[in-house]
Amino acid sequence: MTFTGFPDEGLVFYEGLEADNSKTYWTRSKAVYDTCVRAPMQALVDALAPEFGTGKLFRPYRDVRFSNDKTPYKTHQGAVATLEGRGAGAWYVEISAEGLRVAGGAWRLESDQVERYRRAVADDVQGPRLQAEVDRLSAAGWDVGGDRLVRVPKGHDVDDGRADLLRHRSLHAGRLFEYADWLHGPDALERVRTAWRDLTGLNEWLSDNVGATTKEIRRR
């Protein structure tokens, strides 16, 4: 399937799901989800795969086991792409009633990856390289975030110029393109491609310095 945009019916579907997150609504609207949300998202990540790696679509069902919110369905469709063998960095795209969200980086790091991340941030070469990339993304309008400790981890200088980065246990950057007519056409593909390319520096740093988990390395 060639990507031609996200049909308006898909965004209307999510507006309805936000108002009625029930099995009844989902069952009644499943065909719209398959045709106007899931199929174009699959076509989008397939078109980007030669440059960014194979894309994987997330399931539409929420994991409610440990949540007070028991609504069963996600009000967005997300997908992630990774280059095989490159470790921590990944690209993300999401469609919802709000519009199109794009992001990149690492959302979850294992303990061995966190240790490698901290060593690299403290390094006199790799640390400034990451700081410069984070500053560039922030200045370009990206929201840089991630899970962080309240304090700088033990063994590191609290006055370090990269203290904020040392507190991170994950690191990613994202931005939302609010609803616009271009979402319904092939220009959406180029928007995502351009945005993901802008995140390549962050992902390359993570891949070079954090890499895969120990378990993943052993499986190779």
Side-chain angles (χ1 to χ4, degrees), residues 94-112:
E94 172 188 300
I95 187 70
S96 70
E98 281 189 291
L100 190 73
R101 185 174 298 277
V102 288
W107 285 262
R108 184 175 181 273
L109 295 176
E110 302 293 343
S111 58
D112 56 313

Side-chain angles (χ1 to χ4, degrees), residues 88-145:
W91 289 272
Y92 178 77
V93 60
E94 172 188 300
I95 187 70
S96 70
E98 281 189 291
L100 190 73
R101 185 174 298 277
V102 288
W107 285 262
R108 184 175 181 273
L109 295 176
E110 302 293 343
S111 58
D112 56 313
Q113 293 177 299
V114 172
E115 288 304 313
R116 290 196 294 272
Y117 167 81
R118 289 175 181 164
R119 286 198 300 269
V121 171
D123 182 80
D124 290 339
V125 174
Q126 295 303 327
R129 179 185 162 204
L130 177 61
Q131 186 67 67
E133 185 61 20
V134 167
D135 291 344
R136 184 191 69 80
L137 289 170
S138 297
W142 291 91
D143 296 321
V144 179

Side-chain angles (χ1 to χ4, degrees), residues 8 21 80 120 130 171 178 195 210 215:
D8 187 55
N21 198 310
V80 64
L130 177 61
L171 182 65
E178 295 183 349
V210 178
K215 291 180 180 179

Side-chain angles (χ1 to χ4, degrees), residues 13 24-34:
F13 160 79
T24 299
Y25 175 86
W26 179 265
T27 302
R28 185 173 69 244
S29 308
K30 179 67 160 50
V32 176
Y33 166 77
D34 288 338

Side-chain angles (χ1 to χ4, degrees), residues 19-175:
D20 181 13
N21 198 310
S22 67
K23 185 176 181 180
T24 299
Y25 175 86
W26 179 265
T27 302
R28 185 173 69 244
S29 308
K30 179 67 160 50
V32 176
Y33 166 77
D34 288 338
T35 304
C36 300
V37 176
R38 191 170 185 86
M41 180 63 82
Q42 185 66 62
L44 177 71
V45 296
D46 287 348
L48 294 164
E51 182 173 353
F52 300 100
T54 302
K56 176 184 177 182
L57 273 62
F58 289 102
R59 289 164 53 87
Y61 312 106
R62 295 182 63 251
D63 184 352
V64 301
R65 291 174 298 172
F66 309 107
S67 175
N68 292 326
D69 179 2
K70 299 301 181 182
T71 51
Y73 305 104
K74 298 175 184 176
T75 54
H76 61 267
Q77 175 63 61
V80 64
T82 55
L83 287 170
E84 186 175 355
R86 290 294 289 159
W91 289 272
Y92 178 77
V93 60
E94 172 188 300
I95 187 70
S96 70
E98 281 189 291
L100 190 73
R101 185 174 298 277
V102 288
W107 285 262
R108 184 175 181 273
L109 295 176
E110 302 293 343
S111 58
D112 56 313
Q113 293 177 299
V114 172
E115 288 304 313
R116 290 196 294 272
Y117 167 81
R118 289 175 181 164
R119 286 198 300 269
V121 171
D123 182 80
D124 290 339
V125 174
Q126 295 303 327
R129 179 185 162 204
L130 177 61
Q131 186 67 67
E133 185 61 20
V134 167
D135 291 344
R136 184 191 69 80
L137 289 170
S138 297
W142 291 91
D143 296 321
V144 179
D147 182 32
R148 294 186 295 181
L149 298 172
V150 175
R151 299 179 180 84
V152 173
K154 292 181 179 179
H156 296 282
D157 188 348
V158 176
D159 296 326
D160 191 297
R162 297 182 295 279
D164 186 63
L165 286 176
L166 284 167
R167 292 167 51 215
H168 277 263
R169 292 187 294 192
S170 63
L171 182 65
H172 46 79
R175 72 192 315 168

Side-chain angles (χ1 to χ4, degrees), residues 187-200:
D187 284 352
L189 170 61
E190 295 310 313
R191 295 263 186 163
V192 177
R193 192 194 309 276
T194 299
W196 280 9
R197 284 175 177 171
D198 202 28
L199 295 164
T200 296

